[in-house]
Amino acid sequence: MLTEVKSLTKWYGGHKLFSDFNFSIQPDNKIGLIGNNGVGKTSLLNILCNIDSDYDGTVTKSSRCRIGYLTQGVSLPPDHTLYDECLSHFSELLKIKDQLKHLEHEISKNPENMALQDKYGQLLHDFEDQGGYDIENKVEKVLTGLGFTKDQWSQVIATLSGGEQRRGLLAKLLLSQAN
């Protein structure tokens, strides 16, 4: 189980959006959330994403649960390129990559230093284990799959249309590999 909701009740002002709502999400589930305006779709997502804590009931999520949520009001930094903004999702891996480059330089100056070599080996293992060599490929695959041309990858986000910017947000969401 990724998520379990029991007896969830949510009020918005004096209006009850839903009450005694129960469900669970299993790892292999594919879920669509549809409904009329005002029935609580966004409220439910805000609860599941820990954005809203004003509700009754319990929400339990496993440590493996990663929720991807594309809200209506979020925007990308206008001065970044589309490619760099998507790449920023992998900031921790990019830090490891920089550390590896630094250690390579240090090891070349002092190849007998086993502590440096051990640290390099551990970082390299972590980098490989987390898919560090596939970062650029993943970004390119998602951007291409969403219909962006290579020219658009290097465009500053402020120059993209509103729809293209939304697709850029979707690209970042897809790269998060939410389950």
Side-chain angles (χ1 to χ4, degrees):
M1 175 211 54
L2 291 175
T3 302
E4 184 174 40
V5 172
K6 290 184 180 177
S7 301
L8 188 64
T9 300
K10 174 66 181 169
W11 291 82
Y12 189 76
H15 176 69
K16 188 186 299 184
L17 292 176
F18 42 80
S19 65
D20 201 29
F21 192 31
N22 301 289
F23 66 92
S24 64
I25 301 172
Q26 303 302 319
D28 58 342
N29 289 159
K30 304 292 183 217
I31 298 169
L33 187 58
I34 57 173
N36 293 332
N37 289 340
V39 297
K41 299 179 302 290
T42 299
S43 295
L44 176 61
L45 289 172
N46 285 338
I47 291 169
L48 293 176
C49 293
N50 298 324
I51 297 169
D52 182 354
S53 60
D54 185 24
Y55 61 88
D56 294 318
T58 59
V59 177
T60 307
K61 290 184 275 188
S62 87
S63 60
R64 300 173 306 162
C65 182
R66 290 185 320 272
I67 297 175
Y69 179 33
L70 182 59
T71 64
Q72 295 177 6
V74 175
S75 61
L76 297 170
D79 57 337
H80 292 185
T81 67
L82 180 61
Y83 186 85
D84 287 342
E85 186 57 26
C86 287
L87 203 58
S88 73
H89 173 72
F90 299 100
S91 61
E92 293 303 314
L93 278 173
L94 293 172
K95 286 178 188 174
I96 294 173
K97 188 176 182 179
D98 288 342
Q99 290 174 330
L100 287 168
K101 285 181 184 177
H102 174 73
L103 284 171
E104 287 169 0
H105 178 72
E106 293 298 314
I107 290 171
S108 72
K109 293 189 306 188
N110 190 1
E112 310 302 320
N113 187 328
M114 293 309 291
L116 284 176
Q117 291 187 26
D118 289 345
K119 185 174 181 181
Y120 181 86
Q122 182 59 50
L123 276 176
L124 183 61
H125 178 273
D126 293 345
F127 186 74
E128 290 173 344
D129 194 47
Q130 295 175 43
Y133 288 117
D134 295 327
I135 294 171
E136 289 87 1
N137 186 43
K138 287 178 183 178
V139 170
E140 291 172 10
K141 186 176 180 179
V142 166
L143 289 175
T144 300
L146 289 173
F148 287 106
T149 66
K150 283 195 175 193
D151 289 338
Q152 289 174 309
W153 298 359
S154 59
Q155 275 185 254
V156 175
I157 290 170
T159 66
L160 298 172
S161 73
E164 290 166 340
Q165 290 182 33
R166 293 299 294 170
R167 281 191 290 140
L169 285 168
L170 180 58
K172 283 192 74 172
L173 178 66
L174 293 171
L175 289 166
S176 75
Q177 297 179 318
N179 53 14

PDB file of all heavy atoms in Angstrom, residues 90-109:
ATOM      1  N   PHE A  90      17.511  17.112 -10.831  1.00  0.00           N
ATOM      2  CA  PHE A  90      18.558  16.171 -10.442  1.00  0.00           C
ATOM      3  C   PHE A  90      19.696  16.878  -9.701  1.00  0.00           C
ATOM      4  O   PHE A  90      20.853  16.467  -9.792  1.00  0.00           O
ATOM      5  CB  PHE A  90      19.099  15.458 -11.682  1.00  0.00           C
ATOM      6  CG  PHE A  90      18.059  14.663 -12.419  1.00  0.00           C
ATOM      7  CD1 PHE A  90      17.466  15.176 -13.555  1.00  0.00           C
ATOM      8  CD2 PHE A  90      17.661  13.420 -11.966  1.00  0.00           C
ATOM      9  CE1 PHE A  90      16.506  14.456 -14.241  1.00  0.00           C
ATOM     10  CE2 PHE A  90      16.693  12.691 -12.633  1.00  0.00           C
ATOM     11  CZ  PHE A  90      16.107  13.214 -13.784  1.00  0.00           C
ATOM     12  N   SER A  91      19.384  17.930  -8.954  1.00  0.00           N
ATOM     13  CA  SER A  91      20.422  18.751  -8.322  1.00  0.00           C
ATOM     14  C   SER A  91      21.339  17.943  -7.404  1.00  0.00           C
ATOM     15  O   SER A  91      22.548  18.187  -7.375  1.00  0.00           O
ATOM     16  CB  SER A  91      19.806  19.928  -7.568  1.00  0.00           C
ATOM     17  OG  SER A  91      18.952  19.466  -6.548  1.00  0.00           O
ATOM     18  N   GLU A  92      20.795  16.987  -6.671  1.00  0.00           N
ATOM     19  CA  GLU A  92      21.645  16.188  -5.773  1.00  0.00           C
ATOM     20  C   GLU A  92      22.642  15.337  -6.563  1.00  0.00           C
ATOM     21  O   GLU A  92      23.808  15.242  -6.189  1.00  0.00           O
ATOM     22  CB  GLU A  92      20.792  15.319  -4.847  1.00  0.00           C
ATOM     23  CG  GLU A  92      19.972  16.111  -3.853  1.00  0.00           C
ATOM     24  CD  GLU A  92      20.814  17.030  -2.974  1.00  0.00           C
ATOM     25  OE1 GLU A  92      21.853  16.584  -2.443  1.00  0.00           O
ATOM     26  OE2 GLU A  92      20.434  18.208  -2.822  1.00  0.00           O
ATOM     27  N   LEU A  93      22.180  14.744  -7.644  1.00  0.00           N
ATOM     28  CA  LEU A  93      23.092  13.958  -8.479  1.00  0.00           C
ATOM     29  C   LEU A  93      24.125  14.854  -9.157  1.00  0.00           C
ATOM     30  O   LEU A  93      25.280  14.462  -9.320  1.00  0.00           O
ATOM     31  CB  LEU A  93      22.313  13.166  -9.530  1.00  0.00           C
ATOM     32  CG  LEU A  93      21.703  11.864  -9.060  1.00  0.00           C
ATOM     33  CD1 LEU A  93      20.816  11.263 -10.138  1.00  0.00           C
ATOM     34  CD2 LEU A  93      22.774  10.876  -8.657  1.00  0.00           C
ATOM     35  N   LEU A  94      23.725  16.046  -9.541  1.00  0.00           N
ATOM     36  CA  LEU A  94      24.672  16.970 -10.166  1.00  0.00           C
ATOM     37  C   LEU A  94      25.733  17.424  -9.165  1.00  0.00           C
ATOM     38  O   LEU A  94      26.893  17.631  -9.543  1.00  0.00           O
ATOM     39  CB  LEU A  94      23.931  18.169 -10.760  1.00  0.00           C
ATOM     40  CG  LEU A  94      23.025  17.829 -11.946  1.00  0.00           C
ATOM     41  CD1 LEU A  94      22.177  19.028 -12.339  1.00  0.00           C
ATOM     42  CD2 LEU A  94      23.829  17.324 -13.129  1.00  0.00           C
ATOM     43  N   LYS A  95      25.360  17.540  -7.890  1.00  0.00           N
ATOM     44  CA  LYS A  95      26.350  17.853  -6.847  1.00  0.00           C
ATOM     45  C   LYS A  95      27.362  16.720  -6.713  1.00  0.00           C
ATOM     46  O   LYS A  95      28.562  16.956  -6.571  1.00  0.00           O
ATOM     47  CB  LYS A  95      25.660  18.104  -5.505  1.00  0.00           C
ATOM     48  CG  LYS A  95      24.943  19.417  -5.414  1.00  0.00           C
ATOM     49  CD  LYS A  95      24.241  19.561  -4.067  1.00  0.00           C
ATOM     50  CE  LYS A  95      23.348  20.787  -4.041  1.00  0.00           C
ATOM     51  NZ  LYS A  95      22.552  20.862  -2.799  1.00  0.00           N
ATOM     52  N   ILE A  96      26.873  15.490  -6.755  1.00  0.00           N
ATOM     53  CA  ILE A  96      27.771  14.338  -6.686  1.00  0.00           C
ATOM     54  C   ILE A  96      28.706  14.347  -7.892  1.00  0.00           C
ATOM     55  O   ILE A  96      29.912  14.087  -7.766  1.00  0.00           O
ATOM     56  CB  ILE A  96      26.988  13.012  -6.600  1.00  0.00           C
ATOM     57  CG1 ILE A  96      26.224  12.918  -5.276  1.00  0.00           C
ATOM     58  CG2 ILE A  96      27.916  11.811  -6.761  1.00  0.00           C
ATOM     59  CD1 ILE A  96      25.297  11.718  -5.169  1.00  0.00           C
ATOM     60  N   LYS A  97      28.173  14.662  -9.066  1.00  0.00           N
ATOM     61  CA  LYS A  97      28.994  14.731 -10.277  1.00  0.00           C
ATOM     62  C   LYS A  97      30.113  15.759 -10.123  1.00  0.00           C
ATOM     63  O   LYS A  97      31.261  15.500 -10.496  1.00  0.00           O
ATOM     64  CB  LYS A  97      28.112  15.068 -11.484  1.00  0.00           C
ATOM     65  CG  LYS A  97      28.800  14.994 -12.810  1.00  0.00           C
ATOM     66  CD  LYS A  97      27.806  15.253 -13.942  1.00  0.00           C
ATOM     67  CE  LYS A  97      28.462  15.132 -15.293  1.00  0.00           C
ATOM     68  NZ  LYS A  97      27.492  15.362 -16.383  1.00  0.00           N
ATOM     69  N   ASP A  98      29.779  16.916  -9.553  1.00  0.00           N
ATOM     70  CA  ASP A  98      30.800  17.946  -9.307  1.00  0.00           C
ATOM     71  C   ASP A  98      31.836  17.471  -8.298  1.00  0.00           C
ATOM     72  O   ASP A  98      33.030  17.727  -8.456  1.00  0.00           O
ATOM     73  CB  ASP A  98      30.150  19.243  -8.811  1.00  0.00           C
ATOM     74  CG  ASP A  98      29.383  19.979  -9.892  1.00  0.00           C
ATOM     75  OD1 ASP A  98      29.611  19.700 -11.095  1.00  0.00           O
ATOM     76  OD2 ASP A  98      28.543  20.832  -9.532  1.00  0.00           O
ATOM     77  N   GLN A  99      31.385  16.776  -7.255  1.00  0.00           N
ATOM     78  CA  GLN A  99      32.319  16.235  -6.259  1.00  0.00           C
ATOM     79  C   GLN A  99      33.256  15.211  -6.904  1.00  0.00           C
ATOM     80  O   GLN A  99      34.449  15.165  -6.583  1.00  0.00           O
ATOM     81  CB  GLN A  99      31.566  15.595  -5.101  1.00  0.00           C
ATOM     82  CG  GLN A  99      30.842  16.575  -4.221  1.00  0.00           C
ATOM     83  CD  GLN A  99      29.992  15.879  -3.164  1.00  0.00           C
ATOM     84  OE1 GLN A  99      29.487  14.766  -3.372  1.00  0.00           O
ATOM     85  NE2 GLN A  99      29.823  16.525  -2.019  1.00  0.00           N
ATOM     86  N   LEU A 100      32.721  14.395  -7.803  1.00  0.00           N
ATOM     87  CA  LEU A 100      33.551  13.411  -8.501  1.00  0.00           C
ATOM     88  C   LEU A 100      34.625  14.099  -9.336  1.00  0.00           C
ATOM     89  O   LEU A 100      35.788  13.681  -9.326  1.00  0.00           O
ATOM     90  CB  LEU A 100      32.683  12.504  -9.376  1.00  0.00           C
ATOM     91  CG  LEU A 100      31.837  11.477  -8.644  1.00  0.00           C
ATOM     92  CD1 LEU A 100      30.819  10.841  -9.578  1.00  0.00           C
ATOM     93  CD2 LEU A 100      32.721  10.411  -7.995  1.00  0.00           C
ATOM     94  N   LYS A 101      34.256  15.162 -10.044  1.00  0.00           N
ATOM     95  CA  LYS A 101      35.239  15.908 -10.844  1.00  0.00           C
ATOM     96  C   LYS A 101      36.322  16.497  -9.956  1.00  0.00           C
ATOM     97  O   LYS A 101      37.511  16.447 -10.287  1.00  0.00           O
ATOM     98  CB  LYS A 101      34.545  17.019 -11.629  1.00  0.00           C
ATOM     99  CG  LYS A 101      33.766  16.532 -12.814  1.00  0.00           C
ATOM    100  CD  LYS A 101      33.119  17.699 -13.551  1.00  0.00           C
ATOM    101  CE  LYS A 101      32.247  17.208 -14.678  1.00  0.00           C
ATOM    102  NZ  LYS A 101      31.558  18.294 -15.370  1.00  0.00           N
ATOM    103  N   HIS A 102      35.910  17.045  -8.828  1.00  0.00           N
ATOM    104  CA  HIS A 102      36.879  17.627  -7.895  1.00  0.00           C
ATOM    105  C   HIS A 102      37.825  16.539  -7.373  1.00  0.00           C
ATOM    106  O   HIS A 102      39.049  16.744  -7.310  1.00  0.00           O
ATOM    107  CB  HIS A 102      36.151  18.307  -6.736  1.00  0.00           C
ATOM    108  CG  HIS A 102      37.065  18.806  -5.670  1.00  0.00           C
ATOM    109  ND1 HIS A 102      37.855  19.916  -5.837  1.00  0.00           N
ATOM    110  CD2 HIS A 102      37.330  18.332  -4.417  1.00  0.00           C
ATOM    111  CE1 HIS A 102      38.575  20.112  -4.742  1.00  0.00           C
ATOM    112  NE2 HIS A 102      38.266  19.168  -3.866  1.00  0.00           N
ATOM    113  N   LEU A 103      37.265  15.396  -6.987  1.00  0.00           N
ATOM    114  CA  LEU A 103      38.097  14.300  -6.484  1.00  0.00           C
ATOM    115  C   LEU A 103      39.031  13.764  -7.562  1.00  0.00           C
ATOM    116  O   LEU A 103      40.173  13.392  -7.263  1.00  0.00           O
ATOM    117  CB  LEU A 103      37.221  13.184  -5.919  1.00  0.00           C
ATOM    118  CG  LEU A 103      36.612  13.463  -4.555  1.00  0.00           C
ATOM    119  CD1 LEU A 103      35.590  12.389  -4.194  1.00  0.00           C
ATOM    120  CD2 LEU A 103      37.685  13.555  -3.480  1.00  0.00           C
ATOM    121  N   GLU A 104      38.571  13.713  -8.801  1.00  0.00           N
ATOM    122  CA  GLU A 104      39.454  13.274  -9.902  1.00  0.00           C
ATOM    123  C   GLU A 104      40.670  14.185  -9.999  1.00  0.00           C
ATOM    124  O   GLU A 104      41.805  13.703 -10.169  1.00  0.00           O
ATOM    125  CB  GLU A 104      38.691  13.276 -11.232  1.00  0.00           C
ATOM    126  CG  GLU A 104      37.695  12.154 -11.355  1.00  0.00           C
ATOM    127  CD  GLU A 104      36.756  12.311 -12.538  1.00  0.00           C
ATOM    128  OE1 GLU A 104      36.874  13.307 -13.297  1.00  0.00           O
ATOM    129  OE2 GLU A 104      35.882  11.442 -12.712  1.00  0.00           O
ATOM    130  N   HIS A 105      40.430  15.474  -9.870  1.00  0.00           N
ATOM    131  CA  HIS A 105      41.529  16.439  -9.914  1.00  0.00           C
ATOM    132  C   HIS A 105      42.484  16.221  -8.733  1.00  0.00           C
ATOM    133  O   HIS A 105      43.711  16.210  -8.902  1.00  0.00           O
ATOM    134  CB  HIS A 105      40.972  17.864  -9.913  1.00  0.00           C
ATOM    135  CG  HIS A 105      42.017  18.919  -9.916  1.00  0.00           C
ATOM    136  ND1 HIS A 105      42.794  19.195 -11.024  1.00  0.00           N
ATOM    137  CD2 HIS A 105      42.434  19.763  -8.939  1.00  0.00           C
ATOM    138  CE1 HIS A 105      43.647  20.156 -10.731  1.00  0.00           C
ATOM    139  NE2 HIS A 105      43.443  20.526  -9.467  1.00  0.00           N
ATOM    140  N   GLU A 106      41.922  16.040  -7.532  1.00  0.00           N
ATOM    141  CA  GLU A 106      42.753  15.815  -6.343  1.00  0.00           C
ATOM    142  C   GLU A 106      43.537  14.513  -6.443  1.00  0.00           C
ATOM    143  O   GLU A 106      44.706  14.457  -6.055  1.00  0.00           O
ATOM    144  CB  GLU A 106      41.882  15.820  -5.077  1.00  0.00           C
ATOM    145  CG  GLU A 106      41.258  17.160  -4.753  1.00  0.00           C
ATOM    146  CD  GLU A 106      42.298  18.229  -4.490  1.00  0.00           C
ATOM    147  OE1 GLU A 106      43.262  17.976  -3.752  1.00  0.00           O
ATOM    148  OE2 GLU A 106      42.138  19.349  -5.053  1.00  0.00           O
ATOM    149  N   ILE A 107      42.909  13.469  -6.957  1.00  0.00           N
ATOM    150  CA  ILE A 107      43.584  12.176  -7.091  1.00  0.00           C
ATOM    151  C   ILE A 107      44.710  12.277  -8.114  1.00  0.00           C
ATOM    152  O   ILE A 107      45.776  11.677  -7.943  1.00  0.00           O
ATOM    153  CB  ILE A 107      42.583  11.059  -7.445  1.00  0.00           C
ATOM    154  CG1 ILE A 107      41.679  10.772  -6.238  1.00  0.00           C
ATOM    155  CG2 ILE A 107      43.292   9.788  -7.905  1.00  0.00           C
ATOM    156  CD1 ILE A 107      40.505   9.847  -6.537  1.00  0.00           C
ATOM    157  N   SER A 108      44.499  13.050  -9.179  1.00  0.00           N
ATOM    158  CA  SER A 108      45.568  13.197 -10.193  1.00  0.00           C
ATOM    159  C   SER A 108      46.795  13.879  -9.593  1.00  0.00           C
ATOM    160  O   SER A 108      47.919  13.610 -10.009  1.00  0.00           O
ATOM    161  CB  SER A 108      45.061  13.978 -11.397  1.00  0.00           C
ATOM    162  OG  SER A 108      44.895  15.351 -11.090  1.00  0.00           O
ATOM    163  N   LYS A 109      46.594  14.743  -8.593  1.00  0.00           N
ATOM    164  CA  LYS A 109      47.717  15.409  -7.925  1.00  0.00           C
ATOM    165  C   LYS A 109      48.351  14.519  -6.861  1.00  0.00           C
ATOM    166  O   LYS A 109      49.514  14.688  -6.528  1.00  0.00           O
ATOM    167  CB  LYS A 109      47.264  16.721  -7.278  1.00  0.00           C
ATOM    168  CG  LYS A 109      46.849  17.777  -8.274  1.00  0.00           C
ATOM    169  CD  LYS A 109      46.617  19.143  -7.645  1.00  0.00           C
ATOM    170  CE  LYS A 109      45.644  19.130  -6.512  1.00  0.00           C
ATOM    171  NZ  LYS A 109      45.273  20.466  -6.022  1.00  0.00           N
TER     172      LYS A 109
END
